[in-house]
Each structure stands twice: as structure tokens, then as C-alpha cells.
Amino acid sequence: MPVDLYYSRYSGPSRAVLMTIRHLNIPVNLKRVHLNEGDHMKPEYIKMNPAHTVPTIHDNGFSLWESRAIMQYLCNQYAPDGQLYPREPKKRALVDRCLNIDMGLGPQIGELMRAKTFAGVDPPQDMVTNLKNNLKVLDVIIGANHYVTGDELTIADLSLLATGTYMDWLEVDVSEFANYKRWYTTVHKELPYFHQINTFSQEEREAMVAKGRAYALKK
Ligand SMILES: N[C@@H](CCC(=O)N[C@@H](CS)C(=O)NCC(=O)O)C(=O)O
């Protein structure tokens, strides 16, 4: 039976899960959630996910939200011996560490997006500095690795790549993080599904921003 994925096309965490699904060739029913129209606040959605976030999956009677937990579950359930979420404890710990760092980036990106994109104001400098402090740590972790944690692609790459797409959108200058920049530039090109999932036309971006502003004003 296919996995139901409730997602928003613009949401980084949703895109990270979708990349995992595509990478593992898991049959999926895509269920689009329009955040700017309040789909996620409807009682039936909140019943499934009281945190009212995307992504959420429903797999054969089992509901789960939090993108990184979903990615870990999908690997455990559908590709337990695969390299995307290695079984070996130390390798897995390095993946988990990067997923946790990525989780810390989420709210920082969210704040920047609310200021820059939706409110149209310059974000306070400390917002940018906090984000850059995390990018600096990632830059050191990546070092000379090809992928974030070593020689193999893992869900840490997929999660961080989805987050990385916001850097361009929010005009965060990553040039001082040479390893991070090299990793992002090289690895996203290797994934055949990356562009279809993560690229938006200027028109799509503008429509999303306009709807986001209107929804924020209505609330
Ligand atoms: N840590 C969560 C974050 C999910 C999240 O905040 N998603 C946003 C879209 S990117 C959302 O659903 N916002 C609606 C809301 O919080 O009500 C995850 O990784 O799944």
C-alpha cells in the first residue's frame, strides 16, 4: 500500500521527505497541503497531527510527523540495510548529529523568512549571525568529505540540501563556508530528482510570497 505524504511544495522539511521517498522508490500518494489557505488548521488535519505541521505521513494506519523522524522511519521500514541511514552505530550517530544540527537551522530560517520575505524588512543582524554560526560548524564537519558524513549519501545530506535551498532564496552569503558551498554545489547535481522537487520559477516564488503575506495579514 502506498504511503500517504501530506506536504507543501514550498516546505523544506516536506521536500527532504519527498527526496527520501524518491531515492528509495517508495510508492506514495501525494496529498498537497496549502498552508497559505489554512489546510493544516482544519480539524481533520489536527486530529492526525496536533502540531499542524507538514510533512506528515500515514503508512498503513501509522501516522508520523517531524521530517527527520519520518526519514529515519522510512529508511528503517523500507531500506533497513541501505546506506541512506547506516546501521553501524558510529556511522548512524554522525548522521543523527547532522540531522539535529539541521533541525536547529529550521527555526532560524523561519525567522529570516518571516522578516525578509513576508514582512519585507531587513532581519536583525544577530539572526543572520546565529545562522552563520551553525553553517560554520557544518563547514568544519564536512571538511574534505564528499557527502556530509563521509563517502556515502545519507538522509543528513537530503535534509541539509532541502534546508540549503533557502540560502539562495534568502540571499544568505555562504561564500565564507567553502566546504559547505562545495558540498551543496556538487551533491545536489548528483540527485536526478533534486530539481523537480526543489526548484521554483520566479512566478511560483512570487505567488507563494503574495499568498503568504495575505495569509499572515488575515491571521
Ligand atoms: N521540525 C518540523 C518543522 C515542520 C514545519 O515547521 N513545517 C512548516 C512548513 S516548512 C509548517 O508546517 N508550518 C505550519 C505550522 O507550523 O502551523 C519538521 O522538520 O517536520
Side-chain angles (χ1 to χ4, degrees), residues 5-181:
L5 171 65
Y6 295 81
Y7 79 111
S8 156
R9 209 168 114 54
Y10 296 103
S11 141
S14 296
R15 288 183 274 113
V17 168
L18 194 48
M19 286 195 277
T20 307
I21 285 176
R22 293 284 185 242
H23 198 92
L24 297 177
N25 281 320
I26 299 171
V28 65
N29 274 327
L30 291 177
K31 296 187 176 270
R32 198 152 172 194
V33 178
H34 296 276
L35 297 175
N36 291 334
E37 291 165 26
D39 288 352
H40 59 309
M41 300 309 287
K42 293 189 176 145
E44 58 272 24
Y45 195 81
I46 292 188
K47 199 166 158 203
M48 181 174 63
N49 171 357
H52 47 78
T53 51
V54 285
T56 299
I57 59 161
H58 192 78
D59 186 18
N60 209 9
F62 175 62
S63 291
L64 187 67
W65 67 92
E66 282 298 335
S67 60
R68 294 159 194 88
I70 296 172
M71 296 166 93
Q72 289 161 329
Y73 165 76
L74 291 173
C75 290
N76 289 336
Q77 179 74 8
Y78 293 103
D81 298 316
Q83 44 117 45
L84 216 48
Y85 193 39
R87 267 181 191 272
E88 196 280 313
K90 291 193 178 66
K91 282 189 179 173
R92 180 165 282 206
L94 296 181
V95 173
D96 290 339
R97 178 175 67 182
C98 286
L99 290 174
N100 287 339
I101 293 174
D102 186 43
M103 177 124 177
L105 293 176
Q108 297 179 334
I109 302 270
E111 273 188 68
L112 267 183
M113 184 79 111
R114 273 187 288 282
K116 247 186 138 155
T117 311
F118 295 128
V121 297
D122 277 341
Q125 194 48 46
D126 60 340
M127 246 185 224
V128 181
T129 307
N130 290 341
L131 177 63
K132 287 199 168 181
N133 284 343
N134 271 325
L135 293 178
K136 198 171 178 178
V137 171
L138 278 174
D139 192 65
V140 174
I141 288 176
I142 294 168
N145 292 343
H146 185 74
Y147 298 105
V148 171
T149 60
D151 302 336
E152 290 188 331
L153 181 87
T154 69
I155 50 175
D157 292 275
L158 300 184
S159 203
L160 282 161
L161 282 173
T163 303
T165 59
Y166 289 115
M167 302 304 163
D168 177 37
W169 184 312
L170 293 166
E171 293 167 333
V172 177
D173 178 12
V174 297
S175 57
E176 64 196 282
F177 310 117
N179 301 323
Y180 175 84
K181 196 173 167 194

